[in-house]
Amino acid sequence: MNLLVTAVVLAVLLAAAVVALIRLTLARRRLERQHAADVKRLSRMLGLAEGEVWHLARERVPAMVAGLWDSQSREVPGLLHPELEGTRFVAAVDAVLATFGEVPEQAARRAEDAARAAVATTSRSMAALVQEVQAAVWAMLERHDDPKVLEDVSRIDHTASQLGRRVQVISVLAGSWPGRQREDSPLLDVVRGAVSRIRDYQRVRVTGEPPVLVSSQAVEAVILALAELLDNAARHSSPSTHVQVAFTTGHNGVTIVIEDAGIGLTPEERTRVAARLSGQAPVLLTQMPNPPRFGIPVAGVLAARYGFRISADQESAYGGVRAVVYLPNDRLVTSAARQARPSPPPAAPGTPPAEIPQAPVPVPERPDGLPQRRRRARHAAGPVRPQRPVMQPPTGAGETLGAFARGRRAAQDSSSDSPASLTDEGNTTQ
């Protein structure tokens, strides 16, 4: 009996061992098959990842670099293998592209800052040199009366004035200010000051004389913007034509209309010019076209900064371009309002004598349309300084040229300081 029980137990144990062995064998075979599938799947994933990396290096990154060089937003190709979407590998690739995408913006910002700093420093040096040239020219005008000398000096003075305007333009685009203002100026004088700063000043015809003054904060900005518009109108029209300037006085301000008989603008150019004149889009020195064109961009920058508006979306009566400059009332001063201003308080003892603004003097217009201004008398709170001999009225051709140049100098002195002190201006507008 005991032997029988023992035999049964051994048989059961043997059967259990056989079953366990079979199960282990099956499990091992299943694991081997699963391992083989995993190895195959991992091998395929590695192949896909390798192909995706090559696609990143050959297609996606070069597309981003091409967009950087072209300064345009280009479409970057997507994944080469969409089945990798949602994996950690793709998340890492996207992180690399995001980091790389931030580099162009940072590099462009640093390049723009460096370009602005270099241009601002260079323009200040050039402005100082232009000021020295003009000072030497004006000294020659004071010393010489020979008609030939005065004719040559007047040409040099006019060229230096144009060079100074270009330095101001570049400086404004670099973030500086056009200059400090001393006093309110009649609008007609402001327009004549702009005319005197362009090469083809003899072709400009000014009609009308609005009885308003431009506020001191906006004088130099309006002069510079008008000069660029006038120069652009003269350069893009036939030398035998004239550039017409007229005024329209309204309830809310004064409009200056500039019309030329040039080639006009295409619809695409008109849209681009309107965007520039609005002053809303930033002007980047590193993205200027080659050759650069500064006139329209700087006019838009000045208009947006000083609170007036410029548009050039209409055709002129002569088939060219009609540029409209609108000066609102908050940028204008009437003669009555100016006379009603309280007098400045007396200077305290020991303070340096200050220049007292004078009332505007009617400016006679010369046959060539340029201003002929007389020197302003300077009054001081202290002892009266000896003055230079008063210039005699011009009688000859040379003396006429000298008077013309001296009149332009007086007009410049009454409107603004030299561009050499661009960083010292504090009369910003809101």
Side-chain angles (χ1 to χ4, degrees), residues 154-351:
S154 297
R155 292 175 180 172
I156 296 174
D157 181 50
H158 187 220
T159 303
S161 178
Q162 297 177 69
L163 178 59
R165 189 192 91 230
R166 285 169 171 77
V167 172
Q168 281 183 288
V169 165
I170 298 174
S171 182
V172 168
L173 293 180
S176 299
W177 301 94
R180 293 182 297 178
Q181 314 307 323
R182 294 185 179 179
E183 61 180 13
D184 306 328
S185 299
L187 180 55
L188 184 60
D189 288 0
V190 169
V191 173
R192 286 175 175 171
V195 173
S196 69
R197 298 189 188 184
I198 70 173
R199 182 184 62 181
D200 300 321
Y201 63 89
Q202 295 178 337
R203 294 170 49 201
V204 180
R205 297 292 182 266
V206 182
T207 304
E209 184 174 357
V212 295
L213 297 88
V214 180
S215 63
S216 60
Q217 291 181 337
V219 167
E220 188 67 15
V222 175
I223 289 178
L224 190 55
L226 287 175
E228 292 302 317
L229 294 174
L230 290 170
D231 184 70
N232 190 69
R235 288 178 180 272
H236 291 84
S237 58
S238 173
S240 60
T241 61
H242 292 153
V243 177
Q244 305 291 339
V245 180
F247 306 94
T248 301
T249 303
H251 178 74
N252 296 319
V254 174
T255 300
I256 307 170
V257 181
I258 303 173
E259 294 189 296
D260 63 61
I263 59 178
L265 297 173
T266 64
E268 294 77 11
E269 292 173 338
R270 203 179 299 276
T271 301
R272 185 170 61 253
V273 168
R276 285 297 191 187
L277 290 177
S278 68
Q280 301 302 320
V283 179
L284 302 178
L285 297 179
T286 53
Q287 296 183 7
M288 296 293 288
N290 187 20
R293 297 179 180 179
F294 299 128
I296 296 300
V298 78
V301 169
L302 291 171
R305 185 183 296 179
Y306 285 89
F308 57 95
R309 295 200 302 268
I310 304 177
S311 62
D313 53 359
Q314 300 179 9
E315 182 179 300
S316 72
Y318 315 100
V321 177
R322 173 181 293 173
V324 178
V325 180
Y326 172 70
L327 302 177
N329 287 333
D330 58 359
R331 289 294 168 260
L332 301 174
V333 179
T334 62
S335 300
R338 191 184 186 203
Q339 293 175 358
R341 289 181 180 177
S343 302
T351 57

